Amino acid sequence: MRLEAKELASLIETLRRDGYEVVGPTVRDGAIVYDAIEGLEDLPRGWTDEHAPGRYRLLRRPDNALFGYVVGPQSWKRFLLPPRVRLFSVRRNGDQPEIIADASAEPPPKYAFLGARACELAALAVQDRVLLGGPYADPIYRNRRQDVFVIAVQCTQAAPTCFCSSMGTGPKLSGGYDIALTEVVEGAESWFVAHAGTEAGAARLAALGAPEASPQDVARAEEAARRAESMITRRLNTAGLRERLAENFEHPQWDDVARRCLACANCTLVCPTCFCVTVEDTSDVTGSHAERWRLWDSCFTQSFSYIHGGPVRASIKARYRQWLTHKLSSWHDQFGTSGCVGCGRCITWCPAAIEITTEAEAVCGFPPSSLRSEQA
Ligand code: SF4
Ligand code: SF4
């Protein structure tokens, strides 16, 4: 199906009318962030993003593309696994505590995600496995996740920080969406080739009454998608990576990276798969009301591994090693998949410009793949 901007606007409008909170990209504070979208005017029309290790900035595009950027600092996890959520509140009722609010019982927002990229859908699948697989599903995540309607957008450009093709997660969309859009820029404006991934997506597309995409339209969309693939220069050699990382626990590279790492936790907060949380209890001065909150935490904080008398991972070296080996090695043991989807956010948003790809390959003794591919 071929959609013009007005049909995309109508898709957003009908989703909102049907009770969805449409969340999509918008420009705020010099970045493209995900927030509630009311219409096309909220999208980052004519903006693009520039990425490098430790560097991000927005630039104007020469056209009015609506999705002409790569990825922002946020991921969809902030809506499904909120950074701060009140688990319950309790008040004193005589001698007995009485629960007056319980997050797992509250009606969840009904989200429609607009603009999800292939690596982000892979990250959602990883979080589904972590938070819904096994005997202990997270009720808050489950409630928020179950009715999400996903409108994915095919990447048509890539940043020098992207390495999704090494992780097998992109840039081509391969599932996990209700509707997939590929934006084709023509002159100053753009149009979309859309196809459905589910019956719900097909029904919504059919309701728009848009014409079928011609073979030429489809060819233009495929060409735009191939452009993103050809722009990816960063690689991560994953052959034997999991085993080599586990075998090189005392490699001197861990000391080297620890001298540069600030333990700021940025990499874990921007990562679409990191899921660690902590709980915090608060009570009022009268002792009659208390609340338990769940907050994002990070394995880079010293307090994260504190156990009766001291942190298990007291040094930055131990904490960086824990993070990287968990992502690329022990995540496989725990969840049967890599914990990294190659989105590159931890590289862009690291103030010390540390690159997970370079560090992992150095520890494993692999020649640096990205350098080699850039030289080729
Ligand atoms: S570890 Fe880095 S590149 Fe991998 S998914 Fe997380 S933020 Fe993205
Ligand atoms: S690797 Fe970079 S982003 Fe992560 S904790 Fe260290 S300095 Fe911060």
Side-chain angles (χ1 to χ4, degrees):
M1 189 164 271
R2 174 175 163 142
L3 305 187
E4 305 299 330
K6 66 176 183 339
E7 276 122 7
L8 179 59
S10 105
L11 179 60
I12 296 171
E13 197 185 311
T14 51
L15 283 164
R16 280 167 49 79
R17 208 182 306 135
D18 292 344
Y20 282 96
E21 180 175 339
V22 180
V23 181
T26 195
V27 173
R28 198 174 65 220
D29 300 332
I32 291 174
V33 299
Y34 293 141
D35 207 344
I37 296 295
E38 292 187 2
L40 297 190
E41 63 284 1
D42 293 325
L43 297 176
R45 181 192 294 273
W47 286 102
T48 192
D49 48 1
E50 189 180 80
H51 293 249
R55 180 180 164 82
Y56 172 91
R57 66 174 175 159
L58 293 188
L59 299 170
R60 292 304 307 196
R61 292 175 58 93
D63 53 52
N64 291 318
L66 295 170
F67 299 94
Y69 61 91
V70 183
V71 285
Q74 296 174 341
S75 62
W76 304 100
K77 80 172 177 184
R78 67 178 292 103
F79 300 96
L80 304 180
L81 181 74
R84 201 177 149 75
V85 61
R86 189 178 59 191
L87 294 178
F88 59 82
S89 1
V90 61
R91 75 172 159 224
R92 187 190 291 273
N93 186 359
D95 283 344
Q96 294 301 315
E98 182 193 353
I99 299 218
I100 51 176
D102 176 357
S104 60
E106 285 169 10
K110 192 170 143 192
Y111 286 124
F113 291 164
L114 168 63
R117 307 297 192 179
C119 65
E120 298 187 306
L121 296 178
L124 280 177
V126 170
Q127 286 221 316
D128 286 351
R129 209 169 303 184
V130 171
L131 296 162
L132 301 179
Y136 305 109
D138 182 299
I140 298 170
Y141 182 90
R142 185 183 53 219
N143 287 352
R144 287 169 167 257
R145 177 74 172 106
Q146 61 199 3
D147 291 325
V148 173
F149 187 88
V150 177
I151 305 170
V153 173
Q154 170 64 48
C155 287
T156 52
Q157 63 188 77
T161 43
C162 299
F163 58 103
C164 57
S165 45
S166 296
M167 306 313 289
T169 58
K172 198 160 172 31
L173 289 166
S174 60
Y177 52 78
D178 295 287
I179 294 175
L181 301 176
T182 303
E183 184 170 29
V184 178
V185 179
E186 199 160 309
E189 302 307 321
S190 60
W191 47 270
F192 300 88
V193 169
H195 67 269
T198 61
E199 281 179 19
R204 290 211 173 259
L205 281 181
L208 293 173
E212 282 306 314
S214 69
Q216 291 84 349
D217 293 340
V218 173
R220 295 280 305 275
E222 284 171 355
E223 183 193 323
R226 274 196 301 276
R227 191 180 327 121
E229 178 87 56
S230 69
M231 287 173 77
I232 295 178
T233 53
R234 183 174 295 271
R235 305 273 182 268
L236 175 63
N237 180 357
T238 56
L241 182 71
R242 172 186 175 185
E243 297 76 18
R244 292 289 281 268
L245 284 171
E247 288 159 13
N248 281 285
F249 197 69
E250 296 300 342
H251 195 283
Q253 186 67 22
W254 299 123
D255 294 295
D256 186 278
V257 68
R259 282 192 284 276
R260 289 172 279 133
C261 175
L262 310 170
C264 67
N266 263 18
C267 47
T268 52
L269 300 181
V270 296
C271 179
T273 66
C274 278
F275 58 86
C276 288
V277 291
T278 186
V279 290
E280 201 172 86
D281 292 340
T282 60
S283 58
D284 68 4
V285 283
T286 65
S288 59
H289 181 97
E291 295 184 345
R292 173 161 290 180
W293 287 78
R294 186 173 79 180
L295 317 171
W296 280 0
D297 204 347
S298 168
C299 54
F300 276 94
T301 68
Q302 212 174 40
S303 58
F304 185 75
S305 65
Y306 185 94
I307 300 176
H308 59 79
V312 173
R313 291 184 284 271
S315 67
I316 292 181
K317 170 184 169 181
R319 299 205 286 280
Y320 186 88
R321 182 174 56 197
Q322 155 64 23
W323 176 72
L324 188 143
T325 55
H326 190 208
K327 284 278 154 208
L328 298 173
S329 181
S330 55
W331 204 294
H332 286 279
D333 305 325
Q334 258 185 306
F335 304 114
T337 175
S338 171
C340 174
V341 296
C343 72
R345 285 184 177 89
C346 59
I347 300 173
T348 300
W349 296 94
C350 173
I354 293 169
E355 303 166 58
I356 184 174
T357 45
T358 313
E359 300 305 326
E361 290 185 338
V363 167
C364 294
F366 296 158
S369 308
S370 300
L371 198 61
R372 207 172 46 213
S373 75
E374 277 161 16
Q375 284 169 345

